[in-house]
Amino acid sequence: MIDFMNTGGEPARTAVEQDASLAKARQSNRRVLAVISVLVVGAVAAAVWWWAPWVDRSPFTAYDVSVAPGKYTDPGSAADSCIRTASSEEETVIYDEDGHKLAAGRDPREGQRLGPEFGDFAGDCMFITRIDGVPGGEGTYVRQWGGGTKTELGEDELRMSVEEQRERFKTMKKTD
């Protein structure tokens, strides 16, 4: 059999060999494109996860509803109002997890005397503290009242309406 030479001095390739070579090149290109596609999708997914556009980051007004025992209050200016005798008008501060102050609000001077529908808290004095400008999207917040103990709470608790928080005191039990 006679071997034909191409102009490059190599033996001529058959059509089958050329097709196999092209198929390998195409397969290699597909693998490279697949890897690049996976990396791009992964990068986009990571960017979206970090950015988290579904998280509401807008500032909101939080309400902190607290109760002072009746024995530490005096009658207020109206029949159903009351005034704390100790630690009146203290500041409630909201921090992020790292301890940076985010927002604060002052307790009102007068609160509301709770009726019998509040069970264990009947006769106690409820105070509603308004805290403006709490940045959203932090997830976990830390609340501190009057420079005392810090307590962790979630954003859903801070966004709870005054009515929802008041209702919780109707079914809560005092822990002594």
Side-chain angles (χ1 to χ4, degrees):
M1 195 170 241
I2 301 175
D3 243 350
F4 291 98
M5 301 289 275
N6 64 10
T7 56
E10 299 174 8
R13 295 168 130 186
T14 64
V16 172
E17 290 174 331
Q18 287 177 349
D19 285 346
S21 176
L22 286 173
K24 283 183 183 180
R26 285 187 193 130
Q27 189 175 19
S28 177
N29 287 344
R30 286 185 192 132
R31 285 185 185 149
V32 168
L33 285 174
V35 168
I36 289 172
S37 298
V38 167
L39 290 175
V40 167
V41 168
V44 168
V48 167
W49 183 256
W50 178 76
W51 177 42
W54 56 86
V55 175
D56 183 4
R57 297 184 194 292
S58 60
F60 63 96
T61 298
Y63 292 94
D64 184 39
V65 177
S66 60
V67 173
K71 63 184 177 183
Y72 299 115
T73 63
D74 288 331
S77 60
D80 63 343
S81 69
C82 44
I83 300 171
R84 267 195 196 115
T85 55
S87 300
S88 162
E89 300 179 60
E90 291 287 340
E91 187 175 54
T92 299
V93 181
I94 304 296
Y95 299 94
D96 65 9
E97 285 180 300
D98 298 328
H100 300 103
K101 183 177 177 178
L102 300 175
R106 289 234 172 253
D107 284 354
R109 176 164 164 62
E110 286 193 46
Q112 176 190 9
R113 184 78 58 196
L114 299 177
E117 69 273 15
F118 286 90
D120 283 1
F121 294 95
D124 291 346
C125 192
M126 179 175 282
F127 294 91
I128 300 168
T129 305
R130 179 185 170 119
I131 307 165
D132 291 319
V134 179
E138 294 292 324
T140 302
Y141 296 81
V142 177
R143 173 183 49 210
Q144 183 181 34
W145 177 76
T149 306
K150 292 181 178 182
T151 55
E152 259 189 30
L153 64 155
E155 185 167 342
D156 54 336
E157 285 184 76
L158 275 179
R159 288 185 181 266
M160 209 182 257
S161 72
V162 172
E163 293 77 26
E164 289 173 309
Q165 291 185 55
R166 282 177 50 86
E167 286 299 311
R168 290 192 325 184
F169 282 98
K170 289 181 178 179
T171 57
M172 272 183 176
K173 299 289 181 196
K174 282 187 180 180
T175 55
D176 293 323

